[in-house]
Amino acid sequence: MILHHVAALRKRLLQEKQQIEQRLKQNDHFGLTKTSTYDSVGELSNYDNHPADSGTELYEREKDLALNEHTERELHDIERALQAMEEGTYGICEVCGKPIPLERLEAIPKTTFCKEHSTDQAVSQQRPIEESVLSPPFGEFVVHEDAETFDAEDSWQKVARFGTSDTPSDVQEDAEHYDRMYIDAGEQIGYVEPFETFAATDLYGTGITIYPNIVHEQYEQMLDDEHLMSPLGDLPAYEKDPYTS
């Protein structure tokens, strides 16, 4: 390779190396030298922060990690190319030993590989592990349209009863209580009608048995308050007498 081309490329590499080292020094390797939450965001603890704020900080830290890794790799490639110049092997592919075209070296001075053996050709097909949990919505579970089952959505509602960080402004529907600040808070878990929690039949749908519990008492109180015999209204005459007797 002509010496003046190598000298020009060497000058470019040295300038790029100086710029990268100066950038990493100024931004403390994208802030990664700050090991604690207090150092990075000025917070002693994340306990009283909204999860969305903590998620934003986590995303920013992950982005800093990626940028720092990319920059350090770029610096490593520049130093590798400069070392090849010192050894007299610059412009020769490390894999096949063939000369690297001058056009490629002018475009990417730090490369030590030809186009065919470039390490940047493969595009990763790996997806974040979180996608296997978040998709489909509420996680992976089977929806039975003909039955009311305890699914992943019910699991969220079950744990949300212990409280969330949502406020009334975060919930679209009216909330009966501040501790029920989550979607479909009034939805029953594992059953459709309240009487399913205290009424049971045999395998053939006969032999109705009532198991008194708190829901049963609340159900009867609701009917008494509305002066009804059933949630559908008063029973017809031919059913009213057997019911009252």
Side-chain angles (χ1 to χ4, degrees), residues 13 17 21 72-86 110 112:
L13 289 174
K17 179 182 178 182
E21 290 177 340
E72 289 186 344
R73 178 184 175 187
E74 187 177 8
L75 180 60
H76 174 268
D77 291 342
I78 291 176
E79 293 175 343
R80 191 170 185 171
L82 291 173
Q83 182 179 0
M85 289 180 178
E86 295 292 335
K110 65 179 180 292
T112 55

Side-chain angles (χ1 to χ4, degrees), residues 1 84 89-93 98-101 105 111-112:
M1 182 180 296
T89 59
Y90 183 74
I92 304 299
C93 178
K98 295 181 179 180
I100 302 174
L105 292 174
T111 186
T112 55

Side-chain angles (χ1 to χ4, degrees), residues 9-17 78 85 109-110:
L9 294 175
R10 178 184 175 85
K11 182 178 180 181
R12 286 179 55 187
L13 289 174
L14 290 174
Q15 291 176 347
E16 291 181 13
K17 179 182 178 182
I78 291 176
M85 289 180 178
K110 65 179 180 292

